[in-house]
Amino acid sequence: TMVFEETGFFPEKWSVYLVFGDAGHQRLQQKNTILEEHYGIQDQHPETWIESNRRIEHFVNIYRKNTHVRICLERAEKKGYLHYIHRVFYKHRLPPELAHLPILESCFDTRANSGSALGMWQFTKATAKDYGLRVGWFSDDRLNWRKSTHSAARYLNELGRRFNYDWRLALAGYNGGPNYLAKRMKKQRSRNFWQLKLRKETKEYVPKFLAMLKAVGNDIPIFSFREHQGIGLHHAEGLRWNEVFAETGLEFRSSSC
C-alpha cells in the first residue's frame, strides 16, 4: 500500500531520498515512477545520479583532494542561489540534481566569463537569445543570474525532451551543443553516453558533474546529498513537498534539514 501525505510548505532546506533493499534496479524504477507520476519529473535513468565507474571515480578522487566544490557551494549558500534555483527547477519539473550544475559551469560566479560564454549558466550569445535573454553592448541578461536561471531551466527541459530524458545525454548536449551530440550519436549508432566517442571537454563533462555530486557527500549542509547503502538522495529547497511513500522495502520521504 502506498501512502501519500502533503503537509505544507517548507521555506528552507529539505530532502527527498530512497531506501531500498537488494532489488536495486527495480527500486530505482519505482522511484522513477513516483517522481514522474506525482511530480512530473521525468528521468529515464534514475541510477545516473548514484552510478559509479572508472571515469567518474577518477574525478571523485580529484575533487575530494581539493576545496573547489566546497568553495562553490559555500558561495551558493552565502548568496542564496540554490534556494532560488531549486524553486525554478521544480516549476519546470527538472531533476533536482541539475540545480547544482553551476558548480561545474561557473562555481556559482554570476560574472564568470570563459570568452565564448558568460554568467552563472555559461550561455553563449546564440543560446541566450534562443531562450529569451537580451544580449547587447550596454546590458547582458546572462549576467542576471535570476533571468538566466529561468532560461537555463527551459533549455535543460528542451534537452531532456530531445534526448528522451536521459540526463547524461542532455548534460553532454548542454556542454557540447545538442546538434553536435545528435550527429555523434547518429554516426556511432549509439545512445549510450559512456560508449560515445566525443571531444575531450564533452566526454569529461558528465563524469565531472556526477563526481562533484559524489565528492561533496554530507559535508555541506545546504547540499545534503547522501548515499545510504548505495542509494542516492534527491535534494531540493523551499518546495511544497512533504510526503511519505510507504511500500515494502521502499521509503520515499521528505524532511526539513
Side-chain angles (χ1 to χ4, degrees):
T1 302
M2 187 171 288
V3 179
F4 177 80
E5 176 187 348
E6 181 171 344
T7 60
F9 176 82
F10 286 106
E12 297 302 329
K13 308 168 188 68
W14 62 278
S15 53
V16 179
Y17 59 95
L18 282 169
V19 179
F20 53 82
D22 294 332
H25 180 73
Q26 179 182 354
R27 298 304 186 187
L28 281 167
Q29 292 305 316
Q30 288 177 318
K31 181 190 83 168
N32 190 31
T33 300
I34 291 169
L35 288 173
E36 182 174 352
E37 290 184 356
H38 289 281
Y39 311 125
I41 295 176
Q42 298 192 62
D43 194 341
Q44 278 293 327
H45 300 286
E47 72 276 8
T48 294
W49 314 109
I50 62 170
E51 71 180 320
S52 181
N53 58 41
R54 186 170 58 183
R55 286 164 63 181
I56 295 172
E57 292 305 315
H58 168 73
F59 290 109
V60 170
N61 292 331
I62 292 174
Y63 294 133
R64 282 180 174 162
K65 292 177 182 177
N66 63 43
T67 60
H68 175 75
V69 176
R70 181 185 297 273
I71 290 171
C72 297
L73 288 171
E74 287 176 348
R75 174 184 288 162
E77 180 181 27
K78 181 179 179 180
K79 300 290 186 179
Y81 295 146
L82 274 174
H83 181 83
Y84 187 87
I85 294 170
H86 274 302
R87 293 174 68 91
V88 172
F89 277 31
Y90 174 64
K91 178 181 177 181
H92 288 270
R93 300 302 191 263
L94 290 166
E97 287 86 354
L98 294 176
H100 301 90
L101 195 57
I103 300 174
L104 181 55
E105 285 291 333
S106 64
C107 194
F108 287 100
D109 181 355
T110 61
R111 305 193 67 83
N113 187 342
S114 63
S116 60
L118 197 63
M120 180 186 288
W121 296 96
Q122 287 293 283
F123 277 119
T124 62
K125 288 183 179 180
T127 304
K129 292 177 179 179
D130 286 345
Y131 288 88
L133 296 177
R134 293 178 297 178
V135 179
W137 286 103
F138 299 105
S139 65
D140 194 325
D141 284 344
R142 292 178 294 173
L143 298 175
N144 184 317
W145 68 272
R146 289 183 175 87
K147 287 184 179 180
S148 62
T149 291
H150 286 273
S151 295
R154 291 194 294 272
Y155 186 33
L156 285 165
N157 230 332
E158 178 59 31
L159 289 170
R161 284 193 294 269
R162 179 164 183 175
F163 295 106
N164 197 31
Y165 299 100
D166 182 333
W167 292 104
R168 305 178 194 110
L169 295 175
L171 285 166
Y174 189 95
N175 173 259
N179 292 334
Y180 162 75
L181 185 65
K183 289 177 182 177
R184 301 304 297 170
M185 290 167 61
K186 182 177 180 180
K187 183 176 181 179
Q188 298 173 41
R189 298 181 180 180
S190 175
R191 295 188 59 86
N192 185 330
F193 169 80
W194 301 113
Q195 294 177 0
L196 290 171
K197 296 179 180 179
L198 305 169
R199 56 186 175 225
K200 185 175 186 291
E201 181 182 344
T202 304
K203 180 180 180 180
E204 293 182 348
Y205 189 82
V206 175
K208 278 184 177 180
F209 181 58
L210 297 179
M212 285 178 172
L213 297 183
K214 284 179 172 290
V216 72
N218 282 323
D219 293 338
I220 308 296
I222 58 132
F223 187 74
S224 301
F225 191 95
R226 304 172 192 168
E227 290 185 5
H228 176 65
Q229 297 178 354
I231 314 311
L233 167 79
H234 275 273
H235 167 270
E237 301 182 75
L239 312 179
R240 289 180 54 89
W241 294 4
N242 181 33
E243 49 283 317
V244 177
F245 295 90
E247 196 171 293
T248 304
L250 172 66
E251 294 179 352
F252 189 93
R253 66 179 66 158
S254 72
S255 61
S256 56
C257 300

